[in-house]
Amino acid sequence: MKKASLKDIAQQAGVSTALVSYVLNGKEKETRVGEAIAQKIRLIAKELNYQPNHLAKSLRSGKTHTIGLIIADISNPFFANIARVVEDEAKKNGYTVIIGSCDEHAEKSWDLLNVLINRQVDGFIIVSCEGSENQVHYLKERNIPFVLLDRHFPEIQTDFVATNNYKASYDAGIHLIKSGYSKIGIMAYKSNMYHMEERVRGYKHALRDNHIEFHDAWLKEVHFETMDSEVRTAIDEILASEQRLDAMIFATYGLAINALKYINELRLKVPSDMAIVSFGQAEVFDLYYCPITYVRQPLEMLGKTSVEFLLKKLKNPEEGMKQILMEAKLIARESSKAKAVAAG
Amino acid sequence: MKKASLKDIAQQAGVSTALVSYVLNGKEKETRVGEAIAQKIRLIAKELNYQPNHLAKSLRSGKTHTIGLIIADISNPFFANIARVVEDEAKKNGYTVIIGSCDEHAEKSWDLLNVLINRQVDGFIIVSCEGSENQVHYLKERNIPFVLLDRHFPEIQTDFVATNNYKASYDAGIHLIKSGYSKIGIMAYKSNMYHMEERVRGYKHALRDNHIEFHDAWLKEVHFETMDSEVRTAIDEILASEQRLDAMIFATYGLAINALKYINELRLKVPSDMAIVSFGQAEVFDLYYCPITYVRQPLEMLGKTSVEFLLKKLKNPEEGMKQILMEAKLIARESSKAKAVAAG
DNA sequence: ATAGAATGCTTAATCGTTTAAATTAAAAAT
DNA sequence: ATTTTTAATTTAAACGATTAAGCATTCTAT
């Protein structure tokens, strides 16, 4: 049994497709369709289990009610969760989301962008990866609506929804200092992306404001692709140095996971051998023998707001630029508890 | 600047859209397009950065090159990962995947099904939830191609790709018994889904084959929606009973996570207080103070094969029914290590 | 020279909708 | 008895692509 189309209904009802379209779209009033014929049309539609063809609708209207979501790394649970939020929120508004992960590769991101543009998505929500500025410019030029999520480029004027990473990292530093730690390192991705730089900057300022001198060796930058080995090397270096750190901030979930694995192998104890605060959030942090203190980003709000911004823009393309920085919250757990000797 | 269409190219080249279509689809030979004009068309297409409109193509061809993937619970990392595999594999073959999670609700699954059918997906890959048999029948009647993934209904003849859950669970039981445990419980979802029943059956047979009497109190069934509290109650009961269990099998990842959280709260030690084997896989199991023994399902193969089956069916709808059961592998870790007194 | 084949291109229908404009018929106003 | 309004419906173009069929040319063979 083939799918029923407007035509089929029209034939059965003995009317033109226009009438059917009007009735089924609730425009009977404006277009003055007779009550009797309207009833008949609705009945036949139900009988044939009519389902409109989205392709045809979209082709005609130029709107697909589809959002392209490009995520820098879907294997990161933070992003996976944010994707869920975006999907749910979009669905609530009658939009479908097509998700793609570029795995932190600008090239892949570019491919995705094109595939999704071909698929006629109405707009994009993008967690940008390094080196994708040109793509942002492209979207602006082509006048394709989009919102940057979680990461943005301060030098490009765009809509965005992101976390105040500077503040989050600053808070993490302050928290460790207040808990009695003073030799505090940070591990981050080697990257010139703004959100990463902000995390390092916040950490540095926390030290500075507490008259702790920052040493270059305290900042460990590793490459995303070769994280596995570089994290180990970095931790080896930290342990070998005379200035033995007593606490570390991990700027991302992935770094923390890799580091924790290695720390376990080395039989180091958290927090006595090393206190830890990490960005990102996941069940792992709860179930680790020593629950990990982490920076909780307003995941739900980030996702929802990004959808909200985009949909507003889709409804009214003239809408002004929307930018928002949301505050993260430090969730203190065992992994950063006050040093025995220090003040509680 | 608006998107260029075939018409735009045709106008610039001073030819009909037919020629442009032929050239850009590589049919110049069959349709005998002049070499000079073909060159010109290709050049103009490049200049205008022509991107074909998928909607129009699909409307015409009846093929969207889109697969609907309905997942029972995307918050389960096993499913999240399998979704990734499906997506990657589909992309390799030029297909886009639209993912939806029904959160184990048949009703939601039904909605998703309809939304995706409206979107004209070419076929489905489905991780079914309880009570969705009617949906499977519907797809069969409507002759819409689909493959069931991970879960299937033995009483309905369909294509499917799944794990041999009976064997996996049997192996888990044997492993615990060989490691010296004898009072072995299992926690599962209260469900009459086949995959769940098979897991319980496999466990029971492992006991039987080793002359261990199964007690009803050893099987704890909890509801998916109220898992949080019911898992706790179940564990409380186990601890309170005179027949104190020394090992447990968790039939799903979600159950294991909830149980481990509670076990931690109770300060029980794994495996000395209770050995554990769990289905599912995730980083948590690695980073837990005592790495968790788990059943590794052939995630990659499951995902890839399901795509393969579906695409074959799309290419040739007359293709015969394909069913496959894949073997899981038990990954032994600390959480089920041999009891001190028992044989190593 | 001329039928027939080969070549190169256009026409027009089609997929399933939407919607402005045209048409017709009936009712109301003159 | 006309004209004007109002109501109810149809027509047809459009969205952007594909493709079978048709129409001119030019070339080849008789």
Side-chain angles (χ1 to χ4, degrees):
Chain A
M1 181 186 60
K2 270 211 57 189
K3 271 194 72 170
S5 70
L6 274 195
K7 216 190 205 168
D8 299 325
I9 300 179
Q11 256 156 10
Q12 275 217 27
V15 297
S16 70
T17 60
L19 268 202
V20 181
S21 172
Y22 290 143
V23 170
L24 298 183
N25 287 303
K27 305 206 174 161
E28 7 172 352
K29 288 286 168 292
E30 303 104 286
T31 57
R32 302 172 299 207
V33 180
E35 185 51 36
I37 206 75
Q39 294 271 333
K40 190 172 177 189
I41 287 171
R42 268 190 293 266
L43 185 70
I44 296 178
K46 189 154 282 172
E47 270 172 5
L48 297 184
N49 185 30
Y50 171 71
Q51 307 278 125
N53 183 322
H54 256 263
L55 293 175
K57 266 181 135 88
S58 297
L59 179 57
R60 175 65 217 234
S61 68
K63 301 264 153 276
T64 55
H65 280 235
T66 302
I67 296 175
L69 174 61
I70 299 182
I71 294 270
D73 176 20
I74 196 71
S75 72
N76 180 329
F78 173 70
F79 290 135
N81 280 316
I82 224 168
R84 278 194 75 193
V85 173
V86 167
E87 233 187 315
D88 287 353
E89 191 66 14
K91 202 178 290 169
K92 269 184 213 153
N93 291 276
Y95 277 76
T96 300
V97 176
I98 301 185
I99 305 177
S101 172
C102 72
D103 303 334
E104 302 282 6
H105 289 300
E107 210 176 313
K108 219 168 163 183
S109 166
W110 180 249
D111 287 346
L112 277 171
L113 206 64
N114 274 312
V115 167
L116 295 177
I117 288 176
N118 281 18
R119 294 247 164 195
Q120 315 295 127
V121 299
D122 291 343
F124 286 93
I125 294 177
I126 303 180
V127 180
S128 301
C129 66
E130 193 164 14
S132 64
E133 290 91 336
N134 57 338
Q135 296 166 32
V136 175
H137 282 125
Y138 179 73
L139 290 172
K140 284 188 76 172
E141 275 168 28
R142 285 279 307 266
N143 228 35
I144 299 173
F146 70 99
V147 174
L148 298 190
L149 176 55
D150 189 60
R151 304 174 176 181
H152 69 109
F153 303 99
E155 72 277 14
I156 313 181
Q157 277 296 313
T158 66
D159 292 49
F160 69 77
V161 179
T163 307
N164 187 340
N165 284 295
Y166 170 80
K167 179 66 165 32
S169 200
Y170 184 88
D171 288 350
I174 297 293
H175 167 72
L176 283 169
I177 295 167
K178 280 214 176 128
S179 299
Y181 302 92
S182 57
K183 289 172 195 140
I184 304 167
I186 186 168
M187 192 178 291
Y189 289 143
K190 180 121 199 84
S191 156
N192 46 35
M193 288 219 65
Y194 184 66
H195 75 288
M196 203 44 72
E197 290 175 347
E198 283 290 277
R199 290 182 187 179
V200 173
R201 194 167 67 91
Y203 147 83
K204 283 183 177 168
H205 282 189
L207 295 188
R208 183 199 64 189
D209 290 355
N210 285 274
H211 316 295
I212 300 178
E213 196 193 346
F214 166 75
H215 297 74
D216 284 341
W218 291 7
L219 168 62
K220 294 292 179 192
E221 291 185 309
V222 306
H223 293 92
F224 177 77
E225 301 82 20
T226 49
M227 194 180 355
D228 304 28
S229 59
E230 288 188 39
V231 166
R232 288 164 174 259
T233 310
I235 289 183
D236 285 341
E237 285 170 8
I238 285 166
L239 297 176
S241 97
E242 66 264 37
Q243 273 257 35
R244 174 78 144 64
L245 299 179
D246 58 3
M248 282 216 79
I249 297 173
F250 293 102
T252 78
Y253 166 80
L255 292 171
I257 292 299
N258 276 282
L260 285 174
K261 277 188 187 163
Y262 192 46
I263 285 173
N264 274 357
E265 281 177 33
L266 295 175
R267 312 249 170 244
L268 291 178
K269 286 296 158 214
V270 178
S272 54
D273 291 325
M274 183 177 292
I276 287 176
V277 175
S278 178
F279 276 75
Q281 58 219 77
E283 269 154 349
V284 186
F285 290 168
D286 290 345
L287 279 174
Y288 196 63
Y289 69 88
C290 161
I292 304 293
T293 298
Y294 65 92
V295 173
R296 172 151 74 207
Q297 291 175 258
L299 191 146
E300 285 262 335
M301 278 307 278
L302 284 168
K304 280 190 177 176
T305 310
S306 67
V307 173
E308 188 196 309
F309 279 16
L310 182 61
L311 293 193
K312 271 194 186 145
K313 198 157 202 177
L314 291 179
K315 247 140 239 167
N316 175 16
E318 306 308 323
E319 195 105 348
M321 200 154 282
K322 295 195 188 338
Q323 310 187 324
I324 195 167
L325 272 192
M326 297 183 174
E327 299 303 326
K329 185 159 186 249
L330 191 88
I331 307 296
R333 319 281 283 287
E334 299 282 301
S335 76
S336 62
K337 80 168 172 212
K339 258 194 167 172
V341 284
Chain B
M1 182 184 62
K2 271 211 56 191
K3 270 195 73 170
S5 69
L6 274 195
K7 215 191 207 169
D8 298 326
I9 300 178
Q11 256 156 11
Q12 275 217 27
V15 297
S16 69
T17 60
L19 268 202
V20 181
S21 172
Y22 291 143
V23 170
L24 298 184
N25 287 303
K27 305 206 174 159
E28 9 173 348
K29 287 285 168 294
E30 304 103 287
T31 57
R32 302 170 303 206
V33 180
E35 185 51 35
I37 205 75
Q39 294 271 335
K40 190 171 177 189
I41 286 171
R42 269 192 292 267
L43 184 71
I44 295 178
K46 188 155 282 172
E47 270 173 5
L48 296 185
N49 186 30
Y50 170 72
Q51 307 279 126
N53 183 323
H54 257 263
L55 293 175
K57 265 181 137 88
S58 297
L59 180 58
R60 177 64 217 237
S61 68
K63 301 263 153 277
T64 55
H65 280 239
T66 303
I67 295 175
L69 174 61
I70 299 184
I71 294 270
D73 176 19
I74 196 72
S75 73
N76 180 329
F78 173 70
F79 291 135
N81 279 316
I82 224 169
R84 280 193 74 192
V85 173
V86 167
E87 232 187 315
D88 286 355
E89 191 66 14
K91 202 178 288 168
K92 269 185 212 152
N93 291 276
Y95 277 76
T96 300
V97 177
I98 301 185
I99 305 177
S101 172
C102 72
D103 303 334
E104 302 281 5
H105 289 300
E107 210 177 313
K108 220 168 163 183
S109 167
W110 180 249
D111 288 345
L112 277 171
L113 206 64
N114 274 311
V115 167
L116 295 177
I117 288 176
N118 282 18
R119 294 246 165 195
Q120 314 296 126
V121 299
D122 291 342
F124 286 94
I125 294 177
I126 303 180
V127 180
S128 301
C129 66
E130 193 164 13
S132 64
E133 290 90 337
N134 58 338
Q135 297 166 32
V136 174
H137 282 125
Y138 178 74
L139 290 172
K140 283 188 76 173
E141 274 167 28
R142 286 279 306 266
N143 228 33
I144 298 172
F146 69 100
V147 174
L148 297 190
L149 176 55
D150 188 60
R151 304 174 178 182
H152 69 108
F153 302 99
E155 73 277 13
I156 313 181
Q157 278 296 312
T158 66
D159 292 52
F160 69 78
V161 179
T163 308
N164 187 340
N165 283 296
Y166 170 80
K167 180 66 165 31
S169 200
Y170 184 87
D171 287 351
I174 297 294
H175 167 73
L176 283 169
I177 295 168
K178 279 212 178 131
S179 300
Y181 302 92
S182 57
K183 289 173 195 140
I184 304 167
I186 187 169
M187 191 178 291
Y189 290 143
K190 180 119 199 88
S191 156
N192 47 32
M193 288 219 65
Y194 185 67
H195 75 289
M196 202 46 71
E197 290 175 346
E198 284 289 277
R199 289 181 187 179
V200 173
R201 195 167 67 91
Y203 148 83
K204 283 183 178 169
H205 282 190
L207 294 188
R208 183 199 62 188
D209 291 356
N210 286 272
H211 316 295
I212 300 178
E213 196 194 345
F214 165 75
H215 297 74
D216 284 341
W218 291 8
L219 168 61
K220 293 294 179 190
E221 293 184 308
V222 305
H223 293 91
F224 177 78
E225 302 81 20
T226 49
M227 194 178 359
D228 305 29
S229 59
E230 288 190 39
V231 166
R232 288 164 174 258
T233 311
I235 290 183
D236 284 340
E237 285 170 9
I238 286 167
L239 297 177
S241 98
E242 64 265 37
Q243 272 255 36
R244 174 76 143 66
L245 299 178
D246 58 4
M248 282 217 78
I249 297 173
F250 293 102
T252 77
Y253 166 81
L255 291 171
I257 292 299
N258 275 283
L260 284 174
K261 277 188 187 163
Y262 191 46
I263 284 173
N264 274 358
E265 280 176 33
L266 295 174
R267 313 250 169 240
L268 291 177
K269 286 296 157 213
V270 178
S272 54
D273 291 325
M274 183 176 294
I276 285 176
V277 175
S278 178
F279 275 75
Q281 59 219 79
E283 268 155 349
V284 185
F285 290 168
D286 291 345
L287 278 175
Y288 195 62
Y289 68 90
C290 162
I292 303 293
T293 297
Y294 66 92
V295 173
R296 171 150 72 208
Q297 291 174 260
L299 191 146
E300 286 262 335
M301 278 306 279
L302 285 168
K304 281 190 177 177
T305 310
S306 67
V307 173
E308 189 195 309
F309 280 15
L310 183 61
L311 294 192
K312 270 192 188 148
K313 198 158 202 178
L314 291 180
K315 248 140 236 166
N316 175 17
E318 306 310 322
E319 195 107 347
M321 201 154 282
K322 296 195 188 341
Q323 309 187 326
I324 195 167
L325 272 192
M326 298 182 175
E327 298 304 324
K329 186 161 186 246
L330 191 88
I331 307 296
R333 319 280 283 287
E334 300 281 303
S335 76
S336 63
K337 81 168 171 213
K339 259 195 167 173
V341 285

